[in-house]
Amino acid sequence: MREPQSAIAISPIRSFSSIRVLSMFNRLKLAPKFTVLLLLIFILGSAVGGLFLSKALQYQAEGKVNAEGLMLMEAMQAVRRYTDQEVLPILERYENEAEFWPEMVPAYAARRTFELMSAANQDAADPLAGDFDYRYKEAVLNPTNPDDLVDEFEATLVQDYLDNPEVSSQSGYREVPGEGLYFYSSLPIIIRDESCLVCHSRPEAAPPAMLAIYGRENGFDWELNQVLGTQIVYVPAEDVFTGARQAWGGVMGLFIVVFAIALFGINVLLKPLVIKPLQGLAKLSEKLASDDIQTVEELDQAESRKLTAVVNRQDELGQLGQVFQKMVNEVIARQQRLRQQIRDLKIEIDQTRKSKEVEEIVETDYFQNLQQKAKEFRSRKADEDEADS
């Protein structure tokens, strides 16, 4: 029961945090809002794009290493063919039962060639030498040399070639105990030349000197066109990941630089093209609200150039300026009409008030007595004038 209560308790906190962040965002001005939105888009886009880019670059790095491994194995196969076709016929002239020359064996020639190549590329004194972390092995199910015996993983690869004859190569990752993760590329080893069966068909047909070195138990009963093992090249997985990370870092670094330049450019252009025109309209609205502008002439003096510049634009902001200008003119005209109506109403009220005051004076007893006395005085004056005449 406690876990649901904790979830319920956390939910209002998250809601409050979201509301607080949204409130802070709403208080920002237009330019910072654009910057924040662009940054959020950049972060989200970088996360998604970086993930896909990392996968793509790792796949590309794996393909490159795999291609190099296959090329290396093809080179070793060329060494094997050269040994079998060019070297072996010459050495057979001097062969005797007392000596066995490993140089006659194509697999030995391929392995020694690889060892010499590896030693040359790992020579620290050679400025042309590079990193050469490849490992080469001809892993066979039934080898003459015990060093060529397949391990459990390699036996699985060989079995895949036996079960699926259409498979021509394999690659992937494997964990080598005590050494770490390796990327491998492999090709099947198939006997296609009958000359190889001279030494590997039956122990009785093999040279006595070879039997004296390797014995009669292993390396026999091979058959033509049979998958005997796998030719395999190992590369430390860290080399693959390092190449992919370097490529990813370069691309993302370039992307960040381009975005920073774009963000700076947008902010620089945003102020004169959007922010300042909107600020001019806002100031004009404030002056209208505070009744600082009462006539069209005063409007022409206040922010007229800025408003004209906005109205003359052909974009959406220009349309807004045109609508705003029309609204301002209507507001000023309406205010002028309202002021005239107020003046007319004030004059009418003053006249009515004066008439009412006069009426109130006339209706008083004092004014009635005064008016009666004036009437009597005028009557008496008229009688006197008649008497004198």
Side-chain angles (χ1 to χ4, degrees):
M1 295 298 292
R2 294 181 180 179
E3 292 181 359
Q5 291 177 356
S6 301
I8 294 174
I10 292 173
S11 180
I13 297 176
R14 290 178 178 174
S15 300
F16 176 75
S17 301
S18 301
I19 294 173
R20 184 176 180 183
V21 171
L22 184 60
S23 177
M24 292 175 61
F25 178 78
N26 290 332
R27 287 198 296 268
L28 293 175
K29 293 185 178 180
L30 192 59
K33 280 184 178 179
F34 269 104
T35 303
V36 171
L37 288 175
L38 288 175
L39 284 175
L40 291 176
I41 294 173
F42 169 73
I43 293 173
L44 181 61
S46 298
V48 177
L51 178 61
F52 283 101
L53 179 64
S54 176
K55 296 294 185 182
L57 291 175
Q58 182 174 340
Y59 180 78
Q60 183 180 14
E62 291 175 359
K64 178 182 177 182
V65 173
N66 184 46
E68 292 176 353
L70 294 176
M71 185 182 301
L72 183 60
M73 288 185 286
E74 291 291 347
M76 294 303 102
Q77 288 182 0
V79 171
R80 291 170 62 95
R81 289 192 296 271
Y82 176 79
T83 302
D84 184 56
Q85 298 173 8
E86 304 292 338
V87 178
L88 182 59
I90 297 175
L91 294 180
E92 283 180 343
R93 301 174 188 175
Y94 307 97
E95 184 180 9
N96 57 73
E97 296 183 358
E99 284 185 285
F100 175 75
W101 296 325
E103 291 79 5
M104 299 172 58
V105 180
Y108 174 84
R111 183 168 63 251
R112 282 297 297 154
T113 300
F114 180 84
E115 291 173 354
L116 293 173
M117 185 187 302
S118 178
N121 281 275
Q122 292 178 354
D123 186 4
D126 187 359
L128 298 178
D131 295 332
F132 193 82
D133 294 331
Y134 293 89
R135 295 184 182 184
Y136 177 75
K137 182 180 179 182
E138 294 188 0
V140 181
L141 294 174
N142 182 22
T144 303
N145 190 340
D147 294 338
D148 296 333
L149 182 65
V150 296
D151 59 21
E152 183 178 356
F153 177 81
E154 294 162 347
T156 303
L157 295 179
V158 176
Q159 190 61 45
D160 288 340
Y161 287 124
L162 290 171
D163 296 338
N164 304 283
E166 70 279 0
V167 177
S168 59
S169 65
Q170 298 185 65
S171 63
Y173 292 93
R174 69 164 295 185
E175 186 75 27
V176 178
E179 298 185 25
L181 189 65
Y182 278 81
F183 181 81
Y184 70 89
S185 302
S186 74
L187 295 173
I189 297 177
I190 303 175
I191 297 298
R192 302 190 185 280
D193 194 342
E194 292 184 359
S195 62
C196 295
L197 299 179
V198 174
C199 297
H200 299 285
S201 58
R202 292 177 292 105
E204 292 78 11
M210 187 186 80
L211 296 177
I213 296 175
Y214 297 109
R216 305 170 60 92
E217 289 76 17
N218 300 314
F220 299 103
D221 297 323
W222 292 6
E223 296 179 3
L224 194 65
N225 296 322
Q226 177 187 10
V227 177
L228 301 177
T230 177
Q231 190 181 19
I232 190 166
V233 171
Y234 292 106
V235 182
E238 185 61 27
D239 292 352
V240 180
F241 298 150
T242 299
R245 282 196 295 266
Q246 290 176 349
W248 183 87
V251 174
M252 291 302 296
L254 179 62
F255 181 69
I256 291 173
V257 171
V258 171
F259 177 81
I261 295 174
L263 183 62
F264 177 77
I266 289 174
N267 279 281
V268 170
L269 296 175
L270 190 65
K271 189 171 183 179
L273 294 179
V274 179
I275 303 299
K276 284 188 176 181
L278 290 178
Q279 288 177 345
L281 296 180
K283 290 180 181 179
L284 190 57
S285 300
E286 291 177 357
K287 290 183 179 182
L288 285 173
S290 59
D291 208 18
D292 292 339
I293 300 177
Q294 298 182 0
T295 63
V296 177
E297 291 73 15
E298 292 178 354
L299 174 64
D300 293 337
Q301 296 176 1
E303 306 292 335
S304 60
R305 293 182 180 178
K306 295 181 180 180
L307 181 59
T308 302
V310 175
V311 171
N312 291 333
R313 291 173 56 164
Q314 302 298 320
D315 54 9
E316 290 79 0
L317 199 58
Q319 295 177 0
L320 175 63
Q322 294 172 7
V323 174
F324 186 82
Q325 186 181 45
K326 182 178 179 181
M327 180 194 69
V328 169
N329 292 331
E330 291 180 355
V331 169
I332 293 176
R334 188 175 301 173
Q335 287 179 342
Q336 290 177 343
R337 290 195 300 270
L338 182 60
R339 292 190 185 96
Q340 183 63 39
Q341 291 175 357
I342 291 175
R343 284 194 294 267
D344 295 342
L345 181 61
K346 185 176 181 181
I347 292 173
E348 184 178 350
I349 291 174
D350 291 341
Q351 291 177 350
T352 304
R353 184 182 299 166
K354 288 179 181 180
S355 299
K356 187 176 181 180
E357 290 176 354
V358 171
E359 184 178 352
E360 289 177 352
I361 293 172
V362 171
E363 290 179 355
T364 59
D365 294 338
Y366 175 76
F367 184 81
Q368 294 290 336
N369 293 332
L370 184 63
Q371 190 176 27
Q372 183 65 31
K373 289 180 180 181
K375 186 177 182 181
E376 291 176 357
F377 177 78
R378 286 194 298 271
S379 178
R380 189 182 305 116
K381 182 69 175 171
D383 293 341
E384 291 176 358
D385 291 340
E386 290 177 0
D388 291 337
S389 60

